[in-house]
Amino acid sequence: MKKWIRGGTVVTAADTYQADVLVQDGQVIAIGQDLDVQGAEVIDASGCYVLPGGIDPHTHLDMPFGGTVTADDFFTGTRAAAFGGTTSIIDFCLTKKGESLRSAIAAWHEKARGKAVIDYGFHLMIAEANDQVLDELESVVTAEGITSLKVFMAYKNVFQADDETLFKTLIRARELGALVQVHAENGDVIDYLTKKALAEGNTDPIYHALTRPPEAEGEATGRAIALTALADAQLYVVHVSCAAAVQRIAEAREKGWNIYGETCPQYLALDISCLEKPDFEGAKYVWSPPLREQWNQDVLWNALKGGILQTVGSDQCSFNFNGQKELGRGDFTRIPNGGPLIEDRMAIVYSEGVRQGRISLNQFVDVCSTKVAKLFGMFPRKGTIAVGSDADIVIFDPDAKRTISAKTHHMNVDYNPFEGKEVYGEVVSVLSRGSYVVRDRQFVGQPGTGQFVKRNSFTRP
């Protein structure tokens, strides 16, 4: 059935204008005035923005970590994403040394099957770069449509890869047209500082941040960039949290290198003092990289505004405070790293960014949707509102004021890191390929309707 979205203001990364949007068979078929709307269902968007659905480039759903598993799976996680205005996610598929890449991909497909309510893709972790893995990558990129590869430079003895693995991955990615991502922290230095802190009896959550200093992030970012330049490849630095890393990315981009960066809402709106909350409450804010001193926030906002950083991902990796975060009482290294952030990603960027004058409305769309689609091979199918694009559309009330709370969020977790924060902007309705997922602020989606998106190879946006 046709859907006629009328009376709203269409906002893309490039334009803001009054127009109606006509949707049929999962796609946008017309934009403008005086459309042929005979037989169409009317969606009144008066007073609202009509946005392309958000694309979250960084999620961890149903992921094992630290002896437990994330609290949100592909149903609860994608449901929460939809309530936040996100209509596509790219989740990280973990691999193990000695196992084939395809077996890991199959496991992640099984996690999503019958659960996702919005579309999804996968990034693929590279734990080793032997001949088998490097050969297998060709079919992963071309046949599976998984065109982004993740290398960890931290979590020693768990995920951390050496520089040879990163360098070989960069070379293979250049050959195949894949985008390499790095978690850029110096894992060896962090391992030393962590052991030293525990030996000195420093076990509280704040030491998670103090043993992962910004210098360790800046150094690893610079090292990854240098290896990328040597390989003549392309690099995307995930969850940039501090000025030290922004500086390295800015310098590389000034040289014309293919270097891109992502930050996250938590780094834009929270700071290191959260980890000092009493009664172990600081554990709620343990993720990596850690929260930084507040002055870094202005650096990150300016980097988004100036195009040094291109995207905002959530790094959704939720663990309940009770029973999961509490595993680290008496030893901060045992606190599962991660937070529930998928639902409030766009709200924070809009309210703290657009409403505070830090970025424009069009930049909001760009960093939360369009640039993600371009970098990860989904544009113009996704990331914009244009004839022929998927009808992933969000009806967004820009003036609604609300308070973020675990009592009202839709994530399957017992706390919210932004608890009590007042924000402007609320999602009214969400369409995924033309079908309602959220309608008039009520969930109407169906588990399993989300589709896996095979993505195109990397092209410079």
Side-chain angles (χ1 to χ4, degrees), residues 139-157:
S139 64
V140 167
V141 172
T142 57
E144 299 280 347
I146 298 174
T147 56
S148 44
L149 312 172
K150 171 77 170 288
V151 178
F152 285 90
M153 302 175 76
Y155 299 112
K156 190 170 183 177
N157 301 319

Side-chain angles (χ1 to χ4, degrees), residues 7 9 24 69 75 105-106 121 126 136 156 182 194 209 213 253 265 278 364 374 378 391 410 416 418 426 430 442 445:
T9 301
Q24 188 174 26
V69 179
F75 171 62
I105 294 167
I126 303 300
E136 198 176 358
K156 190 170 183 177
V182 286
T194 298
R253 291 183 59 80
F364 161 66
K374 289 181 176 180
M378 305 167 78
H410 302 85
N416 191 301
F418 302 111
E426 184 177 23
V430 176
Q442 300 297 314

Side-chain angles (χ1 to χ4, degrees), residues 49-68:
Y49 293 141
V50 180
L51 308 174
I55 306 172
D56 191 337
H58 193 153
T59 69
H60 302 280
L61 302 179
D62 195 4
M63 187 192 83
F65 185 83
T68 187

Side-chain angles (χ1 to χ4, degrees), residues 115-338:
K115 293 184 178 179
V117 303
I118 59 175
D119 290 352
Y120 58 94
F122 298 146
H123 306 297
L124 184 65
M125 172 189 166
I126 303 300
E128 56 186 342
N130 56 34
D131 290 343
Q132 177 184 339
V133 168
L134 295 174
D135 289 344
E136 198 176 358
L137 276 177
E138 182 171 5
S139 64
V140 167
V141 172
T142 57
E144 299 280 347
I146 298 174
T147 56
S148 44
L149 312 172
K150 171 77 170 288
V151 178
F152 285 90
M153 302 175 76
Y155 299 112
K156 190 170 183 177
N157 301 319
V158 182
F159 296 140
Q160 183 177 332
D162 59 22
D163 287 350
E164 180 182 357
T165 297
L166 174 56
F167 189 58
K168 286 182 176 179
T169 302
L170 285 162
I171 292 171
R172 191 67 173 131
R174 181 197 68 209
E175 296 167 348
L176 297 174
L179 180 58
V180 176
Q181 303 162 288
V182 286
H183 176 136
E185 290 184 287
N186 189 313
D188 292 334
V189 169
I190 290 167
D191 184 63
Y192 169 80
L193 294 174
T194 298
K195 289 174 179 175
K196 183 173 183 291
L198 292 177
E200 294 171 352
N202 297 318
T203 62
D204 291 339
I206 185 62
Y207 287 95
H208 172 78
L210 298 180
T211 57
R212 306 181 85 101
E215 292 84 357
E217 183 180 346
E219 184 280 330
T221 302
R223 180 159 37 101
I225 288 170
L227 293 175
T228 303
L230 187 60
D232 191 23
Q234 48 277 343
L235 183 76
Y236 177 98
V237 184
V238 302
H239 50 41
V240 173
S241 73
C242 63
V246 170
Q247 181 182 351
R248 301 305 202 289
I249 295 169
E251 291 168 351
R253 291 183 59 80
E254 285 176 6
K255 295 175 182 176
W257 296 349
N258 270 334
I259 310 297
Y260 308 93
E262 159 202 291
T263 191
C264 307
Q266 54 272 35
Y267 305 120
L268 295 168
L270 301 173
D271 65 70
I272 193 172
S273 65
C274 293
L275 285 96
E276 297 179 297
K277 291 189 175 185
D279 301 323
F280 198 63
E281 289 283 316
K284 295 178 178 179
Y285 302 89
V286 167
W287 43 68
S288 300
L291 292 174
R292 305 300 189 185
E293 292 183 9
Q294 188 174 20
W295 63 266
N296 289 275
Q297 293 174 7
D298 287 340
V299 176
L300 295 171
W301 280 113
N302 289 333
L304 285 173
K305 183 175 183 177
I308 296 169
L309 299 178
Q310 290 71 43
T311 67
V312 178
S314 68
D315 196 7
Q316 161 77 14
C317 191
S318 60
F319 298 99
N320 283 298
F321 179 67
N322 294 304
Q324 290 189 300
K325 290 286 187 178
E326 287 182 326
L327 293 170
R329 283 189 183 272
D331 182 350
F332 70 89
T333 67
R334 296 184 181 275
I335 302 170
N337 279 216

Side-chain angles (χ1 to χ4, degrees), residues 265-449:
Q266 54 272 35
Y267 305 120
L268 295 168
L270 301 173
D271 65 70
I272 193 172
S273 65
C274 293
L275 285 96
E276 297 179 297
K277 291 189 175 185
D279 301 323
F280 198 63
E281 289 283 316
K284 295 178 178 179
Y285 302 89
V286 167
W287 43 68
S288 300
L291 292 174
R292 305 300 189 185
E293 292 183 9
Q294 188 174 20
W295 63 266
N296 289 275
Q297 293 174 7
D298 287 340
V299 176
L300 295 171
W301 280 113
N302 289 333
L304 285 173
K305 183 175 183 177
I308 296 169
L309 299 178
Q310 290 71 43
T311 67
V312 178
S314 68
D315 196 7
Q316 161 77 14
C317 191
S318 60
F319 298 99
N320 283 298
F321 179 67
N322 294 304
Q324 290 189 300
K325 290 286 187 178
E326 287 182 326
L327 293 170
R329 283 189 183 272
D331 182 350
F332 70 89
T333 67
R334 296 184 181 275
I335 302 170
N337 279 216
L341 298 148
I342 199 168
E343 186 166 351
D344 299 309
R345 176 182 71 111
M346 292 180 67
I348 293 297
V349 178
Y350 176 77
S351 191
E352 296 292 299
V354 179
R355 296 288 296 212
Q356 298 295 325
R358 292 180 169 116
I359 60 172
S360 72
L361 180 61
N362 304 105
Q363 285 177 315
F364 161 66
V365 172
D366 198 30
V367 302
C368 288
S369 180
T370 308
K371 200 71 84 196
V372 182
K374 289 181 176 180
L375 282 167
F376 292 105
M378 305 167 78
F379 188 85
R381 176 181 172 186
K382 297 184 181 296
T384 192
I385 296 176
V387 173
S389 295
D390 282 357
D392 296 345
I393 296 174
V394 175
I395 312 300
F396 184 82
D397 182 348
D399 298 317
K401 190 175 182 179
R402 61 189 181 87
T403 301
I404 295 175
S405 176
K407 295 178 181 178
T408 53
H409 74 202
H410 302 85
M411 295 174 286
N412 185 40
V413 68
D414 60 6
Y415 79 98
N416 191 301
F418 302 111
E419 185 71 37
K421 187 173 187 61
E422 288 191 338
V423 293
Y424 282 93
E426 184 177 23
V427 170
V428 177
S429 295
V430 176
L431 301 179
S432 173
R433 285 176 285 102
S435 296
Y436 279 110
V437 182
V438 176
R439 182 172 187 170
D440 296 327
R441 301 177 177 84
Q442 300 297 314
F443 178 69
V444 294
Q446 295 295 321
T449 54

